[in-house]
Amino acid sequence: MKTIATDFDEPAFFQRALRIPIAALAAQFGGGQRGSHQFDRCKIGLAGDALPKSNHDGEVDLPDARTDPPALLDKMSAFAKILGLCGRRYWIVAPGVAVSLFLHSAQAQNARPLEDRFLLGVGTHQGLGGVVSKRGYVPAVNIKQIKELGLTAFRDDFPWSDFELPGRPPGFTTLLGRLETQIKSGVARPVLILAFGHHLVPNSNPPTTDEARQRFANYATAAAQSVSAQRPIFELWNEWNIAARQNPAFSAENYLALAKVTQPAVKRVLPNAPFIVGAIGDDPGWRWTQSILQLGVLKFADGISVHLYNFCMAPAKRSAAEVIERLDSFHRLVAQASGNPDFPIYVTETGWPTATAKCGVNEQTEADNMAQLILWASTASSWLKGFWLYELKDSGTNPSELEDNFGLFRFDNSPKPAACAVRDAWAFIRSSLGADRTRLSKDVVLIKSVTATGGKAAVWSEDPARRYEVRLKSDLPNVTFQHPCDGSSRPASGTWMAVSSTPLLITADGDAAPDLEMRPAR
């Protein structure tokens, strides 16, 4: 490949290459033609031979081949301004290759918005409990809540025994009516847990015989057929490794054997439906995880899922930062086992209970942790395919019971601070085309991202006890800021903005995310 050179020092945000195809230039610049264009303080130059069509899927919104070269360069220059390249002269030299702008991580992401590469979901409980939920789940209410939050997925149980009743073909029954309603509403993409034994099938909890495994695979086939129109994702069992602590039948070998028969059964019906394995609960030292990886379970999967909780760790560890650190270590294990650093990983449960018990956190901590996770996820979407926050609403009313208090909404469906924190953090970052994480200090995180309309920055302190202030290094008229749940944004120019564990969200309309200076809060 010929040189694509720059004569400026690239900031850290642009250290990894992102190709943005501009195949339309192939029809305009042939045999050694050159072009350059001035746009405000942005200067772009092209030199080279004919440019072949790029094989990338994601494309910048450039004019087609009928548009004259100056118009194409106008578009390129405008985009460069948004990406923060204004004021830096650079040449793209591309004989015999597709033109590329070297930016952050869009090479892997194809310059698609985050919402097209990553699912933000929530756990619900429509599939358990029969016709009326003791947990207070009501499809009409919960569908509305999912819409209000802007979520793109949900996760729920699809229990075998309730799907396959005696004397009738497998399918949705009255016991699964709530689940059927939520799935078929189309409110979000379903992740469905294929799990649990059948009370009429011997050796099925877990399936440990060839006959029981085949019966389970038949159920999985019928389940896939019943939801084929809803673009489902299927997850094999739920926290098998936790059950293994009490029952040796829940061995890694039996899990692999079940995956071997279930995955092809689902794929015969829905070849494009992701089939994910794992649903790994608390796994100190990743011992069980390493067992199934060494057995080769990833050969029978499109992804692997994990559940990450820390609410019973020391209070300082009940944080998004700890979840991210552990997820990074899980990612390294999976990448090594698969030989693929981008092997898909799904975090299908994570959350914090707002109970008054020893392991509970306050409602603001729950909100801040969830917002931080969502913002950070924008930097890892080449391999991280989704977060499912546990859970949509509280499952009970006992203030000291942990399992009753994980919701974004309370049992009576009134919102906790986590509801608007999740909604606003996701609304802020979902249009990101690429993002990077850096630090303003040891405990202050900075996420810079690029969108089609400008740059964004999210800033927070990982230490709830430490507070700071930041302001723009240069006054810019089109930069605004807000915090999740604020309801409206304010001009950032000339203002010291509060930085705490609640993320600060900065938006630059038509410009790159601004540089910031920081001081301790006064």
Side-chain angles (χ1 to χ4, degrees), residues 92 102 127 193 233 285 324 374 513:
I92 302 173
F102 270 64
I193 306 164
I233 298 170
I324 292 166
I374 292 165

Side-chain angles (χ1 to χ4, degrees), residues 156-220:
D156 214 312
D157 300 280
F158 208 168
W160 182 9
S161 282
D162 291 345
F163 186 77
E164 186 178 330
L165 297 181
R168 52 161 293 164
F172 281 105
T173 64
T174 55
L175 295 174
L176 294 175
R178 291 184 292 111
L179 178 62
E180 182 179 19
T181 297
Q182 184 165 294
I183 291 173
K184 295 186 176 179
S185 73
V187 65
R189 191 171 186 182
V191 173
L192 300 172
I193 306 164
L194 301 173
F196 314 124
H198 196 291
H199 61 287
L200 298 178
V201 179
N203 306 303
S204 66
N205 192 25
T208 54
T209 65
D210 289 344
E211 180 182 358
R213 292 182 190 115
Q214 189 55 56
R215 289 286 298 274
F216 186 91
N218 294 343
Y219 138 70

Side-chain angles (χ1 to χ4, degrees), residues 261-345:
V261 298
T262 308
Q263 187 258 9
V266 169
K267 290 294 186 180
R268 279 193 291 271
V269 178
L270 291 178
N272 295 323
F275 182 86
I276 59 179
V277 298
I280 302 163
D282 185 43
D283 188 20
W286 301 118
R287 290 189 294 271
W288 193 85
T289 300
Q290 293 185 69
S291 296
I292 61 167
L293 291 177
Q294 289 166 5
L295 288 170
V297 73
L298 298 185
K299 297 175 184 176
F300 306 97
D302 301 302
I304 186 168
S305 58
V306 65
H307 299 170
L308 296 170
Y309 291 105
N310 56 29
F311 53 86
C312 270
M313 293 184 179
K317 288 283 191 179
R318 299 175 193 177
S319 65
E322 192 283 329
V323 167
I324 292 166
E325 181 180 358
R326 206 149 26 105
L327 180 54
D328 279 337
S329 70
F330 182 77
H331 174 223
R332 289 192 294 271
L333 280 178
V334 172
Q336 182 178 15
S338 65
N340 177 9
D342 292 334
F343 190 88
I345 291 174

Side-chain angles (χ1 to χ4, degrees), residues 417-438:
C420 58
V422 166
R423 179 197 66 207
D424 291 356
W426 181 231
F428 177 81
I429 204 65
R430 67 188 299 165
S431 61
S432 169
L433 300 175
D436 256 349
R437 176 177 62 164
T438 57

Side-chain angles (χ1 to χ4, degrees), residues 46 61 231 327 408 442 504:
L46 297 171
D61 181 20
R231 299 177 62 240
L327 180 54
L408 278 68
K442 182 179 178 180
L504 168 66

